Amino acid sequence: MKPLHAQVDWESGVLSQGVKRVRRVSDMIGLYHDEAAEQQAVAEGDPIVYEYTTIELPEEANHVLFGTTTIFPGRVGSEYYMTKGHYHERRDTGEVYVCFSGQGRLVMETEAGQTEVLAMFPGSVAYVPPHWAHRVSNVGDDPLLFFAAFPGHAGHDYGTIAQVGFRLRVEEHGGEVLIVDNT
Ligand code: M6P
Ligand code: ZN
C-alpha cells in the first residue's frame, strides 16, 4: 500500500480519514460498578461516553494500527466516564498512548493480578507493555483526547474484562480522584 497522511482535529480529537465509533452508557452495561446509576443514565438520554476514530489498515503484524479517542467528562454514579478497556487477543502485543488534552488515568492490570495506574495529561506518553489490560478514565472537567498505536495483529479481547472486571475503579469522592479496589 501507499503511505497515508491524516490530521487530528484538536477540538474534537477526530482523525481525518478515520472511521468514528461512538460508545454510550448502554454499550457499557455491566462495566460500571453502580448498576442503578447505569440504568438511570440510559433512561435519562443514554449519553455518549466516548468516541474513537481509527484508520482502517490491514490487521497484520507488520502494520501499526492507530487512532484517537475522546472521552467526555462525566460520571456514572461515582465512577468517571471511561473506555470499555480490553486485553489484546494476542497478549504479547503492547500499545502506546499519547495524551493531547484533558486529565485522565490509565488503569492497567495483568491476569496474574499486577495493577498499575498512570496519570494522563497533555503531553504525557504511556507505554502499555504486552500482557497488560488497559482502560482510560477521564477525571477532569473537559474532554480527554489521546492517540493510541498498537501492532496490527493485536486484536481486542473485551470478554475477559466483561467477565471478571478490572480490579481497580477510578472514582470521585469529595472532589478527589480515588482509586478503589474492587476485589
Ligand atoms: C484507543 C485504543 C483502541 C481502542 C479505543 C477505545 O484508541 O486502545 O484500540 O479501541 O481506545 O477503547 P476500547 O476498545 O477499550 O473501548
Ligand atoms: Zn489496546
Side-chain angles (χ1 to χ4, degrees):
M1 65 173 283
K2 289 171 99 180
L4 66 84
H5 196 207
Q7 192 178 357
V8 177
D9 179 312
W10 295 110
E11 283 299 308
S12 65
V14 170
L15 193 59
S16 65
Q17 305 183 47
V19 177
K20 188 169 95 172
R21 294 182 176 84
V22 174
R23 293 280 178 259
R24 297 176 181 273
V25 176
S26 60
D27 297 311
M28 306 180 73
I29 293 295
L31 297 183
Y32 290 96
H33 182 66
D34 186 338
E35 288 173 25
E38 255 181 2
Q39 295 300 340
Q40 191 182 340
V42 173
E44 291 175 356
D46 194 14
I48 295 177
V49 176
Y50 63 103
E51 299 174 341
Y52 64 102
T53 316
T54 32
I55 291 189
E56 303 221 300
L57 292 169
E59 296 186 3
E60 297 165 6
N62 50 340
H63 284 272
V64 178
L65 299 189
F66 60 94
T68 52
T69 303
T70 303
I71 308 178
F72 295 101
R75 279 177 278 131
V76 174
S78 307
E79 205 168 1
Y80 290 104
Y81 278 7
M82 61 189 184
T83 58
K84 285 186 169 185
H86 56 269
Y87 279 100
H88 289 163
E89 269 168 32
R90 291 287 305 259
R91 294 288 197 269
D92 59 346
T93 55
E95 185 156 346
V96 178
Y97 281 107
V98 182
C99 181
F100 295 150
S101 63
Q103 300 290 327
R105 296 288 183 278
L106 169 58
V107 180
M108 292 166 281
E109 68 177 45
T110 64
E111 285 169 304
Q114 292 166 281
T115 58
E116 188 79 44
V117 181
L118 296 178
M120 292 176 74
F121 49 86
S124 70
V125 178
Y127 180 56
V128 180
H131 302 287
W132 287 79
H134 36 290
R135 164 183 285 167
V136 179
S137 298
N138 180 353
V139 301
D141 298 326
D142 300 305
L144 174 69
L145 272 53
F146 62 92
F147 177 91
F150 49 96
H153 67 315
H156 290 74
D157 167 16
Y158 296 103
T160 307
I161 295 304
Q163 274 173 10
V164 304
F166 265 80
R167 288 176 177 80
L168 302 178
R169 307 198 297 272
V170 185
E171 299 194 345
E172 190 265 354
H173 290 279
E176 300 285 321
V177 178
L178 219 69
I179 308 297
V180 182
D181 200 327
N182 252 333
T183 53

